[in-house]
Amino acid sequence: MTILRAEQLTKTFTIGDRATNVLEKVSLSVEPEEFLVIKGSSGSGKTTLLTLLSGLDRPTDGRVFIENRDITDMPEDTLAVFRNRDIGYVFQSFHLVPGLTAQENIMFPAELAGDREARQKAARLMERVGLGHRIQNFSHQLSGGEKQRVAICRALVNEPKLIFADEPTGNLDSENGRAILDLLLQAKQASRTTLVLVTHSPEVADRADRIITLVDGRIKDSVG
């Protein structure tokens, strides 16, 4: 069964009296446990597509289905619970909460889901990614690579079926970038999770099962 399907997604932004289509009639499907890369130049619509597929934003037209469940018009409170339980999201700029420790940042989605083992799960994930000694550190005490590891642990804590990652190596040097990609792929394999990742990096794209290239808000080609 296809885990993710998009049908004729269009996203229009209006500034003044001018309307611009950032995405236009984009359709795609993703299979369970697949590693799909979405690539394209700056302004091609990559991040917009990722936010629509993950339910962080809604399309102007078209539909998004996750495990055949239409999330397009889902009420916001229902969608928020669904995203927290079934979707993990890794941002380029980490998006850690400054006032929380690394462990507390990771725990947060699990606590929202009412998981009484949130603290223990966060600690186990931190050990798994080599950050067991950073549990009580705040984000300003972490390096860029460490912040992204925390962000990945946060995305994994609820054992989601889908992980979306927006340029997760974009703010890191090449060594840390490779380590973060390795970590994501190890987590994908261990948890049998589906990974949809936006990147401009050929090195990252080379490791994908399939690559979709966007040009001016449309799919130019699909390889893999």
XYZ file of all heavy atoms in Angstrom, residues 134-208:
577
model
N 25.139 14.758 26.756
C 24.582 16.094 26.498
C 23.134 16.249 26.967
O 22.485 17.246 26.666
C 24.641 16.392 25.001
C 26.051 16.528 24.435
C 26.761 17.718 25.018
N 27.808 18.223 24.152
C 28.597 19.237 24.472
N 28.430 19.837 25.650
N 29.534 19.651 23.647
N 22.646 15.296 27.733
C 21.232 15.271 28.108
C 20.775 16.578 28.753
O 19.705 17.091 28.439
C 20.950 14.069 29.042
C 20.854 12.786 28.212
C 19.654 14.264 29.831
C 20.580 11.539 29.022
N 21.573 17.133 29.627
C 21.158 18.323 30.367
C 21.661 19.630 29.755
O 21.477 20.698 30.335
C 21.627 18.221 31.832
C 20.997 17.072 32.599
C 19.476 17.115 32.567
O 18.873 18.179 32.710
N 18.844 15.965 32.378
N 22.270 19.551 28.570
C 22.746 20.766 27.902
C 21.602 21.465 27.167
O 20.682 20.820 26.652
C 23.851 20.440 26.896
C 25.162 20.101 27.580
O 25.691 19.008 27.422
N 25.700 21.028 28.350
N 21.690 22.798 27.121
C 20.733 23.593 26.356
C 21.266 23.802 24.938
O 22.444 23.552 24.662
C 20.483 24.929 27.048
C 19.783 24.790 28.382
C 20.512 24.633 29.552
C 18.394 24.787 28.453
C 19.878 24.485 30.777
C 17.749 24.640 29.669
C 18.489 24.487 30.833
N 20.408 24.262 24.038
C 20.777 24.334 22.627
C 22.000 25.217 22.386
O 22.828 24.913 21.527
C 19.591 24.820 21.787
O 19.172 26.106 22.190
N 22.144 26.304 23.166
C 23.291 27.195 22.944
C 24.613 26.547 23.359
O 25.682 27.057 23.027
C 23.098 28.526 23.683
C 23.213 28.423 25.185
N 22.144 28.096 25.986
C 24.277 28.598 26.013
C 22.547 28.080 27.245
N 23.825 28.377 27.292
N 24.528 25.426 24.042
C 25.733 24.702 24.459
C 26.092 23.568 23.500
O 27.047 22.839 23.745
C 25.513 24.138 25.870
C 25.280 25.211 26.935
C 24.860 24.624 28.268
O 23.989 23.762 28.346
N 25.499 25.096 29.335
N 25.348 23.446 22.414
C 25.555 22.359 21.462
C 26.122 22.888 20.147
O 25.821 24.014 19.734
C 24.230 21.641 21.172
C 23.467 21.078 22.367
C 22.121 20.524 21.906
C 24.268 20.004 23.077
N 26.914 22.067 19.466
C 27.391 22.409 18.133
C 26.250 22.209 17.126
O 25.205 21.631 17.445
C 28.562 21.509 17.748
O 28.126 20.171 17.560
N 26.474 22.671 15.886
C 25.458 22.497 14.857
C 25.123 21.038 14.620
O 23.947 20.669 14.510
N 26.143 20.188 14.549
C 25.908 18.765 14.348
C 25.143 18.141 15.498
O 24.275 17.280 15.293
N 25.463 18.570 16.723
C 24.755 18.049 17.895
C 23.301 18.511 17.907
O 22.396 17.734 18.245
C 25.471 18.490 19.167
C 26.796 17.781 19.383
C 27.603 18.369 20.528
O 27.405 19.563 20.866
O 28.448 17.651 21.085
N 23.064 19.761 17.533
C 21.682 20.265 17.460
C 20.859 19.450 16.470
O 19.701 19.113 16.733
C 21.675 21.740 17.052
C 22.186 22.696 18.115
C 22.211 24.124 17.582
C 22.805 25.073 18.610
N 22.902 26.464 18.096
N 21.464 19.136 15.317
C 20.715 18.376 14.324
C 20.464 16.943 14.789
O 19.427 16.354 14.486
C 21.435 18.400 12.976
C 20.578 17.990 11.791
C 19.333 18.860 11.607
O 18.431 18.862 12.454
N 19.282 19.574 10.500
N 21.386 16.368 15.546
C 21.150 15.042 16.125
C 19.978 15.074 17.105
O 19.146 14.166 17.140
C 22.406 14.536 16.832
C 23.518 14.120 15.890
C 24.809 13.826 16.645
N 25.901 13.564 15.733
C 26.293 12.352 15.344
N 25.678 11.284 15.811
N 27.286 12.202 14.504
N 19.927 16.121 17.910
C 18.795 16.284 18.830
C 17.496 16.417 18.042
O 16.475 15.805 18.383
C 19.004 17.511 19.741
C 17.741 17.820 20.545
C 20.175 17.271 20.699
N 17.529 17.203 16.960
C 16.330 17.396 16.148
C 15.868 16.083 15.522
O 14.672 15.821 15.419
C 16.603 18.432 15.059
N 16.823 15.252 15.121
C 16.468 13.943 14.555
C 15.859 13.054 15.635
O 14.854 12.363 15.405
C 17.695 13.286 13.909
C 18.066 14.047 12.634
C 17.437 11.813 13.602
C 19.381 13.623 12.025
N 16.448 13.055 16.817
C 15.878 12.274 17.922
C 14.453 12.725 18.227
O 13.566 11.900 18.480
C 16.741 12.418 19.172
S 18.333 11.590 19.091
N 14.229 14.028 18.205
C 12.876 14.551 18.438
C 11.901 14.043 17.376
O 10.753 13.697 17.667
C 12.909 16.079 18.434
C 11.559 16.751 18.670
C 11.674 18.268 18.625
N 12.219 18.714 17.346
C 12.643 19.957 17.106
N 12.599 20.868 18.068
N 13.125 20.280 15.927
N 12.365 13.988 16.124
C 11.513 13.490 15.037
C 11.215 12.007 15.182
O 10.185 11.521 14.705
C 12.180 13.766 13.689
N 12.106 11.275 15.851
C 11.972 9.816 15.960
C 11.243 9.354 17.219
O 10.822 8.196 17.288
C 13.361 9.169 15.952
C 14.175 9.248 14.661
C 15.589 8.731 14.919
C 13.503 8.447 13.564
N 11.087 10.219 18.203
C 10.689 9.765 19.536
C 9.319 9.085 19.543
O 9.072 8.173 20.339
C 10.752 10.934 20.557
C 9.635 11.948 20.321
C 10.720 10.404 21.983
N 8.414 9.493 18.660
C 7.091 8.866 18.615
C 7.015 7.732 17.593
O 5.918 7.271 17.267
C 6.011 9.913 18.307
C 5.652 10.741 19.528
O 5.891 10.333 20.665
N 5.098 11.922 19.306
N 8.180 7.303 17.116
C 8.265 6.211 16.139
C 7.312 6.436 14.965
O 6.429 5.613 14.677
C 7.969 4.868 16.836
C 8.954 4.576 17.957
C 8.624 3.296 18.714
O 7.602 2.661 18.385
O 9.374 2.945 19.629
N 7.490 7.554 14.248
C 6.559 7.895 13.168
C 6.710 6.983 11.960
O 7.755 6.368 11.749
C 6.973 9.332 12.807
C 8.438 9.368 13.121
C 8.586 8.534 14.361
N 5.664 6.937 11.154
C 5.699 6.154 9.918
C 6.400 6.913 8.802
O 6.909 6.316 7.852
C 4.269 5.807 9.492
C 3.518 4.982 10.522
C 2.038 4.901 10.200
C 1.286 4.176 11.310
N -0.171 4.196 11.098
N 6.393 8.236 8.910
C 6.970 9.097 7.884
C 7.880 10.130 8.525
O 7.511 10.750 9.532
C 5.855 9.839 7.142
C 5.219 9.186 5.908
C 3.894 9.870 5.606
C 6.147 9.314 4.706
N 9.052 10.321 7.953
C 9.938 11.407 8.372
C 10.160 12.324 7.176
O 10.532 11.874 6.087
C 11.285 10.890 8.887
C 11.099 10.061 10.152
C 12.239 12.051 9.168
C 12.382 9.446 10.673
N 9.920 13.613 7.391
C 10.201 14.632 6.389
C 11.406 15.440 6.869
O 11.462 15.835 8.041
C 8.996 15.558 6.213
C 7.784 14.877 5.649
C 6.825 14.328 6.492
C 7.591 14.784 4.283
C 5.701 13.698 5.981
C 6.480 14.152 3.752
C 5.527 13.607 4.605
N 12.346 15.674 5.967
C 13.556 16.418 6.335
C 13.821 17.487 5.277
O 13.924 17.182 4.088
C 14.750 15.472 6.452
N 13.913 18.726 5.726
C 14.129 19.862 4.824
C 15.568 20.331 4.932
O 15.942 20.987 5.905
C 13.166 20.993 5.186
C 13.208 22.137 4.178
O 13.899 22.001 3.147
O 12.550 23.162 4.426
N 16.394 19.964 3.949
C 17.815 20.349 3.918
C 18.495 20.076 5.271
O 19.110 20.981 5.858
C 17.964 21.832 3.554
C 17.465 22.191 2.170
C 18.483 21.926 1.072
O 19.482 21.245 1.359
O 18.260 22.387 -0.051
N 18.395 18.864 5.803
C 18.909 18.608 7.151
C 20.422 18.749 7.275
O 20.932 18.874 8.382
C 18.468 17.165 7.431
C 18.379 16.543 6.076
C 17.864 17.637 5.181
N 21.146 18.725 6.153
C 22.603 18.883 6.197
C 23.036 20.265 5.710
O 24.222 20.557 5.636
C 23.292 17.815 5.330
O 22.942 18.014 3.948
C 22.871 16.419 5.742
N 22.063 21.120 5.399
C 22.375 22.397 4.756
C 23.185 23.361 5.588
O 23.939 24.181 5.040
N 23.053 23.311 6.917
C 23.789 24.238 7.783
C 25.034 23.604 8.401
O 25.605 24.164 9.344
C 22.875 24.737 8.919
C 21.922 25.815 8.445
O 22.178 26.491 7.444
N 20.815 25.986 9.147
N 25.445 22.448 7.869
C 26.548 21.707 8.474
C 27.710 21.578 7.506
O 27.537 21.621 6.287
C 26.067 20.304 8.879
C 24.828 20.242 9.788
C 24.413 18.798 10.001
C 25.103 20.922 11.115
N 28.911 21.385 8.055
C 30.055 21.115 7.196
C 29.919 19.709 6.619
O 29.047 18.932 7.009
C 31.368 21.280 7.966
C 31.471 20.359 9.188
O 31.164 19.154 9.051
O 31.867 20.835 10.261
N 30.777 19.379 5.659
C 30.610 18.123 4.923
C 30.706 16.900 5.832
O 29.948 15.933 5.675
C 31.637 18.025 3.791
O 32.953 18.142 4.290
N 31.612 16.934 6.809
C 31.773 15.785 7.699
C 30.526 15.573 8.549
O 30.009 14.452 8.657
C 32.997 15.972 8.601
C 33.262 14.789 9.510
C 34.501 14.983 10.392
O 35.233 15.972 10.177
O 34.718 14.152 11.279
N 30.020 16.658 9.150
C 28.815 16.544 9.958
C 27.601 16.218 9.086
O 26.703 15.488 9.508
C 28.559 17.843 10.731
C 29.252 17.857 12.076
O 29.052 16.975 12.895
N 30.086 18.857 12.298
N 27.592 16.743 7.862
C 26.498 16.448 6.942
C 26.399 14.972 6.625
O 25.309 14.394 6.622
N 27.558 14.348 6.362
C 27.569 12.911 6.087
C 27.108 12.121 7.303
O 26.364 11.135 7.184
C 28.966 12.466 5.662
C 29.311 12.805 4.215
C 30.583 12.114 3.776
N 31.743 12.597 4.506
C 32.483 13.635 4.128
N 32.178 14.317 3.025
N 33.533 14.017 4.835
N 27.537 12.557 8.496
C 27.151 11.853 9.727
C 25.647 11.940 9.955
O 25.013 10.953 10.367
C 27.910 12.442 10.920
N 25.065 13.106 9.683
C 23.623 13.281 9.869
C 22.836 12.437 8.872
O 21.837 11.790 9.223
C 23.237 14.774 9.744
C 23.746 15.552 10.964
C 21.737 14.948 9.586
C 23.211 15.080 12.305
N 23.295 12.397 7.624
C 22.611 11.564 6.633
C 22.713 10.091 7.019
O 21.721 9.343 6.927
C 23.202 11.791 5.248
C 22.556 10.981 4.121
C 21.063 11.282 4.005
C 23.263 11.227 2.799
N 23.899 9.655 7.461
C 24.068 8.269 7.920
C 23.091 7.959 9.042
O 22.466 6.889 9.069
C 25.503 8.029 8.393
C 26.503 7.960 7.248
O 26.084 7.757 6.093
O 27.714 8.116 7.523
N 22.966 8.893 9.966
C 22.075 8.711 11.106
C 20.621 8.577 10.660
O 19.886 7.689 11.133
C 22.226 9.883 12.072
C 21.359 9.888 13.322
C 21.621 8.659 14.169
C 21.621 11.158 14.130
N 20.196 9.433 9.746
C 18.824 9.354 9.246
C 18.560 8.016 8.550
O 17.508 7.400 8.745
C 18.567 10.502 8.262
C 18.130 11.833 8.863
C 18.157 12.920 7.791
C 16.746 11.739 9.486
N 19.518 7.558 7.761
C 19.327 6.308 7.031
C 19.368 5.102 7.966
O 18.629 4.130 7.767
C 20.384 6.180 5.935
C 20.249 7.208 4.801
C 21.333 6.999 3.758
C 18.877 7.144 4.162
N 20.200 5.175 9.009
C 20.212 4.105 10.004
C 18.883 4.041 10.744
O 18.330 2.953 10.978
C 21.358 4.331 10.991
C 22.741 4.087 10.410
C 23.830 4.694 11.269
O 23.599 5.133 12.397
N 25.054 4.739 10.739
N 18.367 5.218 11.101
C 17.081 5.276 11.802
C 15.957 4.771 10.905
O 15.060 4.046 11.352
C 16.790 6.705 12.242
N 15.998 5.140 9.630
C 14.999 4.675 8.663
C 14.986 3.155 8.587
O 13.935 2.522 8.611
C 15.309 5.280 7.292
C 14.468 4.731 6.159
C 15.036 5.183 4.831
C 14.364 4.457 3.676
N 14.515 2.989 3.735
N 16.186 2.571 8.512
C 16.272 1.123 8.392
C 15.837 0.426 9.679
O 15.087 -0.549 9.649
C 17.697 0.711 8.025
C 17.866 -0.780 7.785
C 19.237 -1.126 7.267
O 20.149 -0.312 7.272
N 19.417 -2.364 6.817
N 16.300 0.957 10.810
C 15.988 0.318 12.091
C 14.497 0.371 12.402
O 13.926 -0.583 12.951
C 16.783 0.985 13.213
N 13.855 1.480 12.058
C 12.439 1.666 12.387
C 11.521 1.358 11.218
O 10.307 1.484 11.353
C 12.198 3.111 12.846
O 13.016 3.434 13.949
N 12.120 0.995 10.058
C 11.353 0.709 8.839
C 10.432 1.876 8.507
O 9.245 1.730 8.218
C 10.562 -0.589 8.998
C 11.444 -1.769 9.345
C 10.683 -3.068 9.461
N 10.222 -3.516 8.157
C 9.536 -4.646 7.960
N 9.242 -5.423 8.987
N 9.145 -4.988 6.748
N 11.036 3.070 8.562
C 10.326 4.318 8.347
C 10.524 4.795 6.910
O 11.530 4.496 6.284
C 10.857 5.389 9.327
O 10.688 4.925 10.661
C 10.129 6.703 9.177
N 9.581 5.561 6.417
C 9.687 6.189 5.102
C 10.304 7.570 5.265
O 9.927 8.320 6.170
C 8.298 6.307 4.463
O 7.702 5.002 4.411
C 8.376 6.887 3.057
N 11.255 7.911 4.389
C 11.976 9.180 4.494
C 11.791 9.986 3.212
O 12.096 9.504 2.119
C 13.467 8.921 4.745
C 14.408 10.134 4.769
C 14.024 11.105 5.879
C 15.865 9.671 4.949
N 11.285 11.207 3.364
C 11.151 12.141 2.245
C 12.006 13.348 2.578
O 11.770 14.030 3.587
C 9.685 12.563 2.026
C 9.577 13.534 0.846
C 8.803 11.338 1.789
N 13.009 13.615 1.746
C 14.039 14.596 2.095
C 14.247 15.592 0.957
O 14.379 15.201 -0.205
C 15.345 13.861 2.412
C 16.539 14.644 2.933
C 17.395 13.757 3.857
C 17.404 15.159 1.790
N 14.272 16.863 1.302
C 14.585 17.928 0.354
C 16.065 18.262 0.466
O 16.595 18.410 1.572
C 13.741 19.185 0.647
C 14.379 20.434 0.045
C 12.336 19.030 0.116
N 16.738 18.365 -0.674
C 18.158 18.710 -0.658
C 18.564 19.328 -1.987
O 17.899 19.141 -3.009
C 19.025 17.468 -0.378
O 20.379 17.875 -0.175
C 18.978 16.484 -1.549
N 19.670 20.062 -1.944
C 20.313 20.508 -3.180
C 21.663 19.804 -3.339
O 22.393 20.062 -4.283
C 20.533 22.024 -3.164
C 21.509 22.470 -2.116
N 21.141 22.710 -0.800
C 22.836 22.698 -2.177
C 22.208 23.068 -0.111
N 23.249 23.072 -0.919
N 21.974 18.907 -2.404
C 23.271 18.234 -2.379
C 23.273 16.984 -3.265
O 22.530 16.039 -2.994
C 23.632 17.845 -0.942
O 24.718 16.938 -0.924
N 24.124 16.927 -4.284
C 24.224 15.714 -5.111
C 24.653 14.500 -4.290
O 24.206 13.377 -4.548
C 25.285 16.076 -6.158
C 25.306 17.564 -6.192
C 24.995 17.995 -4.797
N 25.504 14.723 -3.271
C 25.981 13.618 -2.434
C 24.831 12.970 -1.676
O 24.760 11.739 -1.554
C 27.037 14.134 -1.453
C 27.664 13.053 -0.596
C 28.718 13.592 0.359
O 28.970 14.808 0.344
O 29.277 12.786 1.118
N 23.922 13.790 -1.158
C 22.749 13.257 -0.463
C 21.816 12.557 -1.449
O 21.346 11.438 -1.213
C 21.999 14.387 0.274
C 20.680 13.866 0.866
C 22.871 14.980 1.378
N 21.562 13.212 -2.578
C 20.641 12.656 -3.571
C 21.115 11.306 -4.107
O 20.302 10.427 -4.413
C 20.452 13.646 -4.718
N 22.422 11.125 -4.203
C 22.978 9.880 -4.741
C 22.607 8.660 -3.909
O 22.670 7.527 -4.405
C 24.504 9.972 -4.835
C 24.961 10.796 -6.030
O 24.122 11.075 -6.912
O 26.143 11.174 -6.074
N 22.220 8.866 -2.656
C 21.913 7.743 -1.777
C 20.416 7.430 -1.705
O 19.994 6.543 -0.976
C 22.491 8.009 -0.390
C 24.010 8.153 -0.442
C 24.612 8.454 0.908
N 24.472 7.354 1.837
C 24.951 7.376 3.084
N 25.603 8.453 3.516
N 24.778 6.346 3.886
N 19.632 8.160 -2.468
C 18.183 7.986 -2.436
C 17.752 6.776 -3.263
O 18.436 6.356 -4.188
C 17.503 9.238 -2.975
